[in-house]
Amino acid sequence: MRWVLGIAAIAVSIVIFIVPFIFIVLQAMKTRQEASELAFSWPRQLAFVENLIEVITQRDYIVARAFLNSTILTVASVTLLVVIAAMVGYVMQRRASKIRTVANFFVLAGLIIPPAVVPTVWVLQSLGLFGTLPGLILIEITFGLAFSILLFRAFVSTIPRSLDEAAIIDGASPFRLFFAVIMPLMKPTVVTVIVVQSVQIFNDFANPLYFLPGDDNATVQLTLYNFQSQSNNQWNLLFMDILLITIPPLVMYIFFNRQIVAGMTSGAVKG
Amino acid sequence: MTAATTEVRAGRSRKARTSGVSRHAYPLWFYLPAAVLFLVFFAIPTFASFYFSLTRWTLFDQEFIGFENYVQFFREPQLYQGFINTLIYGFLTSGLKVVIGLALAVLLTSALVGRHFLRSVIFFPVLVSTIGVGIMFKALLDPFDGMVNGALETLGITGPGWLTDPDLALYSIIGIDVWKGLGIACLIYIAGLVAIPTEYYEAARVDGASKWAAFKSITLPLVKPATGTVIILSLIGGLRSFDLIWATTGGGPGFSSDVIGSVIYKQYQAGFYGLSTAGNVVLFVVVTVIMVPISLMLNKREVEQ
């Protein structure tokens, strides 16, 4: 019974979850003409390398530039996000004050309330940051704050206060206490936030669409989308593009699989 | 009375002591970077949206027109349909993720053969970008060449135009959304299920309870916190959804799969910034009115436990 159910489940999951991805890979290996048939079949003529080169070099290396932009966007946003959210989560958990009540309210608001897009465009424009990568980085940090603060706060509650006291008695400044004692202890949550937010920001479409228009600064998701609307019949290149931009999140997942699960669950279920 | 005052005094002195330590150790300026970002890029735009939604606005120039944008939003059928679709989308995706996510999590925490493999497989779509998933399903659900209808054809069924039939498009996208987001719901449920002590089930079995009875009176009540998390996450995501719809149908055919998110973008693209912002305020109200009571209710239950 155990075996029958297990094998049935595996078979169903392969059809529902694996076959679509095999389909992507197969299409990415085909010539343009053959890919347009959308058949689930082994390519008659392998064109994997040709497709790869064509996707990257097309339109003046726009995909390569987009990869660079997306990498800068992701690394910068996530780095700053981790530090800023960890600081808030830490003080929020450790120190009761009126500010904490206000901060609590804003964290919940940040989780629930949909951002007002056009007024945000207006704010970015008045700061001269509209359509720039730094502008989008600040936006991504802001929108990631609420969730990250929650995770950090939940984790700080598991670090004993006696540790802080020992460090203070040893003469550590608040700054050192946080960065040299607490931050290293928070590594599990830091990793979780890094992985979850990197995948999120790297895969983000709506924010770059609104706040980073134009080809110069396009992110990978924007180029993929624009590519789709421009060339409806080049399924081989489209799927090669999807394949290419799924690699970074996939690598993240393979390396940090266990940690994501542990961190997500401790934050999401108990927090 | 005296007991009460001593208690108050004790509380006061304890509070005084900790805040003495915290003032040195936990500086409030740690809030500052987050506060500035939040204020500039979230709070100000949100407050400004209430004003701008009452104007005819071109980013350079604005003219106050009162509630005209809102009147237009609810009077024009295609805009109003986006409102209704948003509710259908939010509640249906959320409900399906709860039911299927829990069922799968129960299956995957049992002694099933290959459960580790299954867990990774279900989580895999979470990693692919929504745009990528959208394009992929556009190919798979193609009414003529698509694999799904090809498979149905071998069974002798003529498949519908999943994304091209106005009556069906929204529900097809809901299906894709569930396919993509199931991994997270399942993961949260697995964490909740693993935390339930196995003794409870053993005791139930000794008492002669059926598997269904054990599920109903042990599992269901004890995974409530996980259910709360799944509902909140998927409702917020579902009500705000935009990119999957934009990648698959662009709100079409006609306006049949438009949601508030896509209406906001269309109006923005067309240069109707005031109307677009009014859409945002409508979304804000919808999400708040639905989410605040739900999160209060779920939090209360957790405390009672």
Side-chain angles (χ1 to χ4, degrees):
Chain A
M1 182 59 197
R2 207 159 78 82
W3 278 89
V4 175
L5 196 61
I7 289 166
I10 290 173
V12 171
S13 76
I14 286 177
V15 171
I16 295 180
F17 290 103
I18 305 271
V19 166
F21 292 110
I22 299 177
F23 178 73
I24 293 186
V25 180
L26 287 174
Q27 300 308 307
M29 298 195 297
K30 290 178 180 174
T31 57
R32 176 177 173 176
Q33 201 178 6
E34 199 188 344
S36 69
E37 294 163 19
L38 294 178
F40 190 75
S41 60
W42 189 255
R44 286 189 293 271
Q45 195 190 333
L46 275 180
F48 190 87
V49 180
E50 290 92 318
N51 290 343
L52 184 65
I53 293 169
E54 195 174 342
V55 162
I56 294 173
T57 55
Q58 217 186 24
R59 292 183 53 215
D60 229 2
Y61 291 91
I62 188 163
V63 171
R65 272 185 291 142
F67 243 101
L68 185 65
N69 285 335
S70 281
T71 310
I72 296 172
L73 170 71
T74 310
V75 172
S77 309
V78 173
T79 312
L80 289 168
L81 182 59
V82 164
V83 177
I84 294 174
M87 282 162 64
V88 174
Y90 164 71
V91 179
M92 249 178 129
Q93 176 61 36
R94 287 297 203 236
R95 179 168 176 178
S97 70
K98 276 191 191 119
I99 294 186
R100 171 156 93 182
T101 321
V102 178
N104 244 332
F105 173 79
F106 279 120
V107 166
L108 284 181
L111 276 181
I112 294 177
I113 295 172
V117 269
V118 194
T120 310
V121 170
W122 168 71
V123 167
L124 282 169
Q125 260 183 350
S126 26
L127 293 174
L129 290 171
F130 180 65
T132 68
L133 212 47
L136 186 60
I137 290 171
L138 295 175
I139 294 289
E140 297 286 6
I141 299 172
T142 308
F143 293 171
L145 274 176
F147 179 72
S148 310
I149 289 174
L150 271 188
L151 286 187
F152 278 116
R153 194 184 166 181
F155 191 79
V156 171
S157 68
T158 66
I159 302 174
R161 259 172 191 269
S162 48
L163 246 141
D164 307 11
E165 280 154 22
I168 294 164
I169 289 165
D170 285 348
S173 66
F175 193 78
R176 274 200 63 183
L177 166 63
F178 176 71
F179 284 100
V181 180
I182 303 293
M183 266 306 249
L185 288 173
M186 290 204 284
K187 208 178 134 204
T189 309
V190 169
V191 173
T192 307
V193 172
I194 289 177
V195 175
V196 172
Q197 296 292 351
S198 310
V199 173
Q200 166 106 28
I201 294 172
F202 189 83
N203 281 345
D204 189 15
F205 170 67
N207 292 320
L209 181 70
Y210 276 112
F211 307 124
L212 201 61
D215 266 358
D216 295 341
N217 296 318
T219 65
V220 284
Q221 305 303 333
L222 273 186
T223 33
L224 177 61
Y225 178 76
N226 291 336
F227 188 23
Q228 176 211 223
S229 44
Q230 283 156 8
S231 49
N232 237 331
N233 272 325
Q234 292 180 296
W235 288 106
N236 55 336
L237 299 187
L238 261 176
F239 283 116
M240 178 54 84
D241 203 355
I242 296 176
L243 205 60
L244 213 56
I245 69 177
T246 305
I247 292 172
L250 190 66
V251 169
M252 271 262 166
Y253 177 65
I254 291 169
F255 271 101
F256 298 107
N257 185 359
R258 267 164 213 286
Q259 214 122 24
I260 308 176
V261 175
M264 273 287 281
T265 50
S266 70
V269 180
K270 291 173 209 149
Chain B
M1 166 80 188
T2 28
T5 28
T6 27
E7 219 180 278
V8 168
R9 249 180 234 150
R12 222 178 254 158
S13 69
R14 195 183 308 133
K15 200 178 160 195
R17 205 172 59 221
T18 42
S19 67
V21 172
S22 30
R23 212 162 284 145
H24 297 295
Y26 312 117
L28 289 177
W29 65 261
F30 272 29
Y31 281 114
L32 199 65
V36 170
L37 285 174
F38 201 84
L39 197 73
V40 174
F41 296 112
F42 193 86
I44 290 177
T46 302
F47 284 117
S49 69
F50 294 109
Y51 171 72
F52 285 128
S53 70
L54 304 174
T55 65
R56 192 172 288 124
W57 183 31
T58 61
L59 279 182
F60 305 104
D61 208 15
Q62 71 237 21
E63 181 198 343
F64 191 84
I65 53 166
F67 287 95
E68 209 171 285
N69 286 324
Y70 293 96
V71 172
Q72 194 182 351
F73 190 92
F74 285 104
R75 208 177 39 201
E76 281 188 28
Q78 69 263 37
L79 301 181
Y80 182 70
Q81 188 168 14
F83 175 78
I84 299 296
N85 285 349
T86 304
L87 295 179
I88 297 175
Y89 195 97
F91 282 104
L92 218 55
T93 48
S94 174
L96 287 169
K97 281 177 195 171
V98 165
V99 174
I100 306 174
L102 179 57
L104 277 174
V106 169
L107 190 71
L108 296 184
T109 47
S110 67
L112 191 75
V113 173
R115 60 181 185 277
H116 295 294
F117 166 79
L118 289 168
R119 281 186 200 182
S120 335
V121 166
I122 292 173
F123 194 75
F124 195 48
V126 175
L127 301 169
V128 186
S129 73
T130 312
I131 297 301
V133 167
I135 294 173
M136 180 175 96
F137 272 95
K138 251 172 108 172
L140 292 172
L141 295 175
D142 188 283
F144 306 109
D145 301 325
M147 242 170 76
V148 173
N149 280 359
L152 288 176
E153 210 166 284
T154 55
L155 300 172
I157 306 167
T158 310
W162 298 100
L163 295 168
T164 50
D165 179 342
D167 293 329
L168 203 63
L170 184 71
Y171 299 95
S172 302
I173 304 171
I174 287 172
I176 302 171
D177 188 307
V178 173
W179 179 88
K180 178 163 168 40
L182 205 55
I184 290 177
C186 198
L187 185 76
I188 294 170
Y189 268 123
I190 287 174
L193 288 173
V194 170
I196 300 175
T198 46
E199 288 86 13
Y200 291 0
Y201 293 102
E202 281 158 25
R205 205 171 45 231
V206 172
D207 289 346
S210 68
K211 272 198 170 166
W212 173 245
F215 174 78
K216 236 175 70 179
S217 41
I218 299 172
T219 313
L220 266 189
L222 289 179
V223 292
K224 246 177 208 163
T227 306
T229 309
V230 173
I231 290 178
I232 289 176
L233 285 181
S234 54
L235 253 184
I236 292 174
L239 294 171
R240 290 180 182 186
S241 62
F242 164 68
D243 39 10
L244 185 60
I245 288 155
W246 201 246
T248 45
T249 63
F255 306 97
S256 60
S257 64
D258 255 330
V259 291
I260 299 181
S262 60
V263 169
I264 293 172
Y265 185 67
K266 281 181 182 172
Q267 302 305 330
Y268 166 73
Q269 231 183 358
F272 299 125
Y273 296 139
L275 186 56
S276 174
T277 308
N280 231 314
V281 174
V282 171
L283 185 62
F284 169 91
V285 172
V286 168
V287 173
T288 313
V289 164
I290 293 172
M291 292 319 298
V292 169
I294 287 183
S295 46
L296 284 179
M297 201 171 69
L298 291 169
N299 280 336
K300 207 159 88 193
R301 270 195 202 144
E302 267 173 63
V303 173
E304 272 167 23
Q305 243 182 29

Short mmCIF file of all heavy atoms in Angstrom, two decimals, chain A residues 48-88:
data_model
loop_
_atom_site.label_atom_id
_atom_site.label_comp_id
_atom_site.label_asym_id
_atom_site.label_seq_id
_atom_site.Cartn_x
_atom_site.Cartn_y
_atom_site.Cartn_z
N PHE A 48 21.38 23.66 -29.13
CA PHE A 48 21.51 24.23 -27.78
C PHE A 48 22.53 25.36 -27.73
O PHE A 48 22.23 26.47 -27.30
CB PHE A 48 21.91 23.12 -26.80
CG PHE A 48 21.84 23.53 -25.37
CD1 PHE A 48 20.66 23.42 -24.66
CD2 PHE A 48 22.96 24.03 -24.71
CE1 PHE A 48 20.59 23.81 -23.34
CE2 PHE A 48 22.89 24.42 -23.39
CZ PHE A 48 21.69 24.31 -22.70
N VAL A 49 23.73 25.07 -28.23
CA VAL A 49 24.81 26.07 -28.16
C VAL A 49 24.47 27.29 -29.01
O VAL A 49 24.64 28.44 -28.58
CB VAL A 49 26.15 25.44 -28.59
CG1 VAL A 49 27.27 26.47 -28.51
CG2 VAL A 49 26.46 24.24 -27.71
N GLU A 50 23.94 27.04 -30.21
CA GLU A 50 23.56 28.16 -31.09
C GLU A 50 22.54 29.06 -30.41
O GLU A 50 22.66 30.28 -30.42
CB GLU A 50 22.96 27.64 -32.41
CG GLU A 50 23.94 26.97 -33.34
CD GLU A 50 24.03 25.46 -33.12
OE1 GLU A 50 24.05 25.05 -31.93
OE2 GLU A 50 24.07 24.71 -34.09
N ASN A 51 21.52 28.42 -29.79
CA ASN A 51 20.50 29.21 -29.12
C ASN A 51 21.07 30.02 -27.96
O ASN A 51 20.74 31.18 -27.78
CB ASN A 51 19.40 28.28 -28.57
CG ASN A 51 18.56 27.68 -29.67
OD1 ASN A 51 18.58 28.16 -30.80
ND2 ASN A 51 17.86 26.62 -29.36
N LEU A 52 21.97 29.36 -27.23
CA LEU A 52 22.59 30.05 -26.08
C LEU A 52 23.32 31.29 -26.56
O LEU A 52 23.15 32.40 -26.03
CB LEU A 52 23.55 29.08 -25.38
CG LEU A 52 24.23 29.59 -24.12
CD1 LEU A 52 23.20 29.84 -23.03
CD2 LEU A 52 25.28 28.61 -23.63
N ILE A 53 24.14 31.12 -27.60
CA ILE A 53 24.91 32.26 -28.12
C ILE A 53 23.97 33.33 -28.65
O ILE A 53 24.16 34.52 -28.39
CB ILE A 53 25.90 31.78 -29.21
CG1 ILE A 53 26.97 30.88 -28.58
CG2 ILE A 53 26.55 32.97 -29.91
CD1 ILE A 53 27.84 30.16 -29.57
N GLU A 54 22.94 32.89 -29.37
CA GLU A 54 22.05 33.89 -29.95
C GLU A 54 21.32 34.70 -28.88
O GLU A 54 21.17 35.91 -28.99
CB GLU A 54 21.04 33.22 -30.89
CG GLU A 54 20.37 34.26 -31.77
CD GLU A 54 19.47 33.66 -32.83
OE1 GLU A 54 19.60 32.45 -33.11
OE2 GLU A 54 18.64 34.41 -33.36
N VAL A 55 20.86 34.01 -27.83
CA VAL A 55 20.16 34.73 -26.76
C VAL A 55 21.07 35.77 -26.12
O VAL A 55 20.68 36.91 -25.89
CB VAL A 55 19.65 33.74 -25.68
CG1 VAL A 55 19.33 34.47 -24.39
CG2 VAL A 55 18.41 33.03 -26.19
N ILE A 56 22.33 35.38 -25.88
CA ILE A 56 23.22 36.30 -25.17
C ILE A 56 23.63 37.47 -26.05
O ILE A 56 23.68 38.62 -25.60
CB ILE A 56 24.46 35.53 -24.65
CG1 ILE A 56 24.02 34.52 -23.58
CG2 ILE A 56 25.48 36.49 -24.06
CD1 ILE A 56 25.10 33.59 -23.12
N THR A 57 23.92 37.19 -27.33
CA THR A 57 24.46 38.26 -28.18
C THR A 57 23.37 39.14 -28.80
O THR A 57 23.67 40.22 -29.30
CB THR A 57 25.30 37.68 -29.33
OG1 THR A 57 24.48 36.74 -30.03
CG2 THR A 57 26.53 36.97 -28.79
N GLN A 58 22.13 38.65 -28.76
CA GLN A 58 21.06 39.37 -29.43
C GLN A 58 20.95 40.83 -28.97
O GLN A 58 21.18 41.13 -27.80
CB GLN A 58 19.76 38.65 -29.06
CG GLN A 58 18.80 38.60 -30.19
CD GLN A 58 17.50 38.00 -29.72
OE1 GLN A 58 17.19 38.05 -28.54
NE2 GLN A 58 16.75 37.45 -30.62
N ARG A 59 20.52 41.66 -29.87
CA ARG A 59 20.28 43.06 -29.57
C ARG A 59 21.39 43.65 -28.71
O ARG A 59 21.16 44.15 -27.60
CB ARG A 59 18.92 43.24 -28.88
CG ARG A 59 17.78 42.93 -29.85
CD ARG A 59 16.43 43.18 -29.22
NE ARG A 59 16.34 44.51 -28.67
CZ ARG A 59 15.65 44.80 -27.57
NH1 ARG A 59 15.05 43.85 -26.90
NH2 ARG A 59 15.58 46.03 -27.16
N ASP A 60 22.64 43.52 -29.22
CA ASP A 60 23.73 44.20 -28.54
C ASP A 60 23.95 43.70 -27.11
O ASP A 60 24.16 44.49 -26.20
CB ASP A 60 23.40 45.70 -28.49
CG ASP A 60 24.58 46.51 -28.97
OD1 ASP A 60 25.58 45.88 -29.36
OD2 ASP A 60 24.48 47.74 -28.94
N TYR A 61 23.88 42.41 -26.92
CA TYR A 61 24.16 41.80 -25.62
C TYR A 61 23.22 42.27 -24.52
O TYR A 61 23.61 42.42 -23.37
CB TYR A 61 25.60 42.08 -25.18
CG TYR A 61 26.62 41.35 -26.01
CD1 TYR A 61 27.16 41.95 -27.14
CD2 TYR A 61 27.03 40.06 -25.68
CE1 TYR A 61 28.10 41.29 -27.93
CE2 TYR A 61 27.96 39.39 -26.45
CZ TYR A 61 28.49 40.01 -27.58
OH TYR A 61 29.40 39.35 -28.34
N ILE A 62 21.96 42.49 -24.87
CA ILE A 62 21.07 43.05 -23.85
C ILE A 62 20.84 42.06 -22.70
O ILE A 62 20.74 42.46 -21.53
CB ILE A 62 19.73 43.52 -24.46
CG1 ILE A 62 18.93 44.27 -23.39
CG2 ILE A 62 18.91 42.37 -25.02
CD1 ILE A 62 17.82 45.11 -23.90
N VAL A 63 20.80 40.76 -23.01
CA VAL A 63 20.59 39.78 -21.94
C VAL A 63 21.79 39.75 -20.99
O VAL A 63 21.63 39.68 -19.77
CB VAL A 63 20.32 38.38 -22.54
CG1 VAL A 63 20.31 37.32 -21.45
CG2 VAL A 63 18.98 38.37 -23.25
N ALA A 64 22.99 39.86 -21.56
CA ALA A 64 24.18 39.87 -20.70
C ALA A 64 24.17 41.10 -19.80
O ALA A 64 24.44 41.01 -18.60
CB ALA A 64 25.44 39.85 -21.56
N ARG A 65 23.81 42.25 -20.38
CA ARG A 65 23.75 43.46 -19.56
C ARG A 65 22.67 43.35 -18.48
O ARG A 65 22.84 43.79 -17.35
CB ARG A 65 23.49 44.69 -20.44
CG ARG A 65 24.78 45.30 -20.98
CD ARG A 65 24.47 46.56 -21.75
NE ARG A 65 23.77 46.26 -22.98
CZ ARG A 65 22.80 47.01 -23.48
NH1 ARG A 65 22.41 48.10 -22.84
NH2 ARG A 65 22.22 46.68 -24.62
N ALA A 66 21.55 42.74 -18.87
CA ALA A 66 20.47 42.57 -17.91
C ALA A 66 20.90 41.67 -16.76
O ALA A 66 20.55 41.91 -15.61
CB ALA A 66 19.24 41.99 -18.59
N PHE A 67 21.70 40.66 -17.09
CA PHE A 67 22.20 39.79 -16.03
C PHE A 67 23.05 40.58 -15.04
O PHE A 67 22.93 40.43 -13.83
CB PHE A 67 23.05 38.66 -16.63
CG PHE A 67 22.48 37.31 -16.39
CD1 PHE A 67 21.78 36.64 -17.38
CD2 PHE A 67 22.59 36.70 -15.15
CE1 PHE A 67 21.22 35.39 -17.15
CE2 PHE A 67 22.04 35.47 -14.91
CZ PHE A 67 21.35 34.80 -15.91
N LEU A 68 23.89 41.45 -15.60
CA LEU A 68 24.73 42.28 -14.74
C LEU A 68 23.85 43.19 -13.86
O LEU A 68 24.04 43.28 -12.64
CB LEU A 68 25.67 43.12 -15.61
CG LEU A 68 26.70 43.95 -14.84
CD1 LEU A 68 27.67 43.04 -14.11
CD2 LEU A 68 27.44 44.88 -15.79
N ASN A 69 22.87 43.85 -14.50
CA ASN A 69 21.98 44.73 -13.74
C ASN A 69 21.25 43.97 -12.64
O ASN A 69 21.18 44.43 -11.50
CB ASN A 69 20.92 45.34 -14.66
CG ASN A 69 21.50 46.45 -15.52
OD1 ASN A 69 22.50 47.07 -15.15
ND2 ASN A 69 20.89 46.69 -16.66
N SER A 70 20.71 42.81 -12.97
CA SER A 70 19.97 42.04 -11.98
C SER A 70 20.87 41.60 -10.84
O SER A 70 20.45 41.57 -9.68
CB SER A 70 19.34 40.81 -12.63
OG SER A 70 18.17 41.18 -13.31
N THR A 71 22.12 41.25 -11.18
CA THR A 71 23.05 40.83 -10.14
C THR A 71 23.36 41.99 -9.20
O THR A 71 23.31 41.85 -7.97
CB THR A 71 24.35 40.30 -10.77
OG1 THR A 71 24.01 39.35 -11.77
CG2 THR A 71 25.24 39.65 -9.73
N ILE A 72 23.66 43.16 -9.77
CA ILE A 72 23.93 44.34 -8.94
C ILE A 72 22.72 44.64 -8.06
O ILE A 72 22.83 44.83 -6.84
CB ILE A 72 24.28 45.56 -9.81
CG1 ILE A 72 25.57 45.32 -10.58
CG2 ILE A 72 24.40 46.82 -8.95
CD1 ILE A 72 25.88 46.40 -11.61
N LEU A 73 21.55 44.65 -8.69
CA LEU A 73 20.31 44.95 -7.97
C LEU A 73 20.13 43.99 -6.79
O LEU A 73 19.88 44.41 -5.65
CB LEU A 73 19.12 44.83 -8.92
CG LEU A 73 17.73 44.88 -8.28
CD1 LEU A 73 17.42 46.28 -7.80
CD2 LEU A 73 16.66 44.43 -9.27
N THR A 74 20.29 42.69 -7.06
CA THR A 74 20.04 41.70 -6.04
C THR A 74 21.06 41.78 -4.91
O THR A 74 20.70 41.83 -3.73
CB THR A 74 20.05 40.29 -6.66
OG1 THR A 74 19.19 40.29 -7.80
CG2 THR A 74 19.57 39.25 -5.68
N VAL A 75 22.34 41.82 -5.28
CA VAL A 75 23.38 41.81 -4.25
C VAL A 75 23.29 43.07 -3.38
O VAL A 75 23.29 42.99 -2.15
CB VAL A 75 24.78 41.70 -4.90
CG1 VAL A 75 25.87 41.88 -3.86
CG2 VAL A 75 24.93 40.35 -5.59
N ALA A 76 23.16 44.23 -4.02
CA ALA A 76 23.11 45.48 -3.24
C ALA A 76 21.88 45.52 -2.35
O ALA A 76 21.98 45.82 -1.15
CB ALA A 76 23.13 46.68 -4.18
N SER A 77 20.70 45.19 -2.91
CA SER A 77 19.47 45.27 -2.12
C SER A 77 19.54 44.31 -0.94
O SER A 77 19.23 44.69 0.19
CB SER A 77 18.25 44.89 -2.95
OG SER A 77 18.22 45.60 -4.14
N VAL A 78 19.95 43.08 -1.20
CA VAL A 78 19.91 42.07 -0.14
C VAL A 78 20.92 42.38 0.95
O VAL A 78 20.63 42.25 2.14
CB VAL A 78 20.10 40.66 -0.72
CG1 VAL A 78 20.21 39.64 0.38
CG2 VAL A 78 18.93 40.31 -1.62
N THR A 79 22.12 42.84 0.57
CA THR A 79 23.13 43.18 1.58
C THR A 79 22.61 44.25 2.54
O THR A 79 22.64 44.09 3.76
CB THR A 79 24.42 43.70 0.90
OG1 THR A 79 24.77 42.80 -0.15
CG2 THR A 79 25.54 43.81 1.88
N LEU A 80 22.13 45.34 1.95
CA LEU A 80 21.64 46.43 2.80
C LEU A 80 20.42 45.99 3.60
O LEU A 80 20.27 46.32 4.78
CB LEU A 80 21.30 47.65 1.94
CG LEU A 80 22.52 48.36 1.38
CD1 LEU A 80 22.13 49.35 0.30
CD2 LEU A 80 23.25 49.08 2.50
N LEU A 81 19.55 45.22 2.94
CA LEU A 81 18.33 44.77 3.60
C LEU A 81 18.64 43.95 4.85
O LEU A 81 18.03 44.14 5.91
CB LEU A 81 17.51 43.93 2.61
CG LEU A 81 16.18 43.39 3.09
CD1 LEU A 81 15.25 44.51 3.52
CD2 LEU A 81 15.51 42.58 1.98
N VAL A 82 19.63 43.06 4.74
CA VAL A 82 19.98 42.21 5.88
C VAL A 82 20.43 43.06 7.06
O VAL A 82 19.94 42.90 8.18
CB VAL A 82 21.08 41.19 5.48
CG1 VAL A 82 21.72 40.59 6.71
CG2 VAL A 82 20.49 40.10 4.61
N VAL A 83 21.33 44.02 6.80
CA VAL A 83 21.86 44.83 7.90
C VAL A 83 20.75 45.68 8.51
O VAL A 83 20.55 45.70 9.73
CB VAL A 83 23.02 45.72 7.40
CG1 VAL A 83 23.51 46.62 8.52
CG2 VAL A 83 24.14 44.86 6.87
N ILE A 84 19.99 46.37 7.66
CA ILE A 84 18.98 47.31 8.16
C ILE A 84 17.87 46.57 8.91
O ILE A 84 17.46 46.98 9.99
CB ILE A 84 18.40 48.12 6.97
CG1 ILE A 84 19.49 49.01 6.39
CG2 ILE A 84 17.23 48.96 7.43
CD1 ILE A 84 19.07 49.75 5.14
N ALA A 85 17.41 45.45 8.35
CA ALA A 85 16.32 44.72 9.00
C ALA A 85 16.79 44.04 10.28
O ALA A 85 16.05 43.99 11.26
CB ALA A 85 15.74 43.68 8.03
N ALA A 86 18.03 43.54 10.28
CA ALA A 86 18.55 42.89 11.49
C ALA A 86 18.63 43.90 12.63
O ALA A 86 18.28 43.60 13.77
CB ALA A 86 19.92 42.28 11.22
N MET A 87 19.09 45.14 12.34
CA MET A 87 19.17 46.18 13.36
C MET A 87 17.80 46.42 13.98
O MET A 87 17.66 46.48 15.21
CB MET A 87 19.72 47.47 12.75
CG MET A 87 21.23 47.45 12.54
SD MET A 87 21.83 48.71 11.38
CE MET A 87 21.41 50.21 12.21
N VAL A 88 16.79 46.55 13.13
CA VAL A 88 15.44 46.83 13.64
C VAL A 88 14.91 45.63 14.43
O VAL A 88 14.41 45.79 15.55
CB VAL A 88 14.47 47.17 12.49
CG1 VAL A 88 13.06 47.33 13.02
CG2 VAL A 88 14.91 48.44 11.80
#
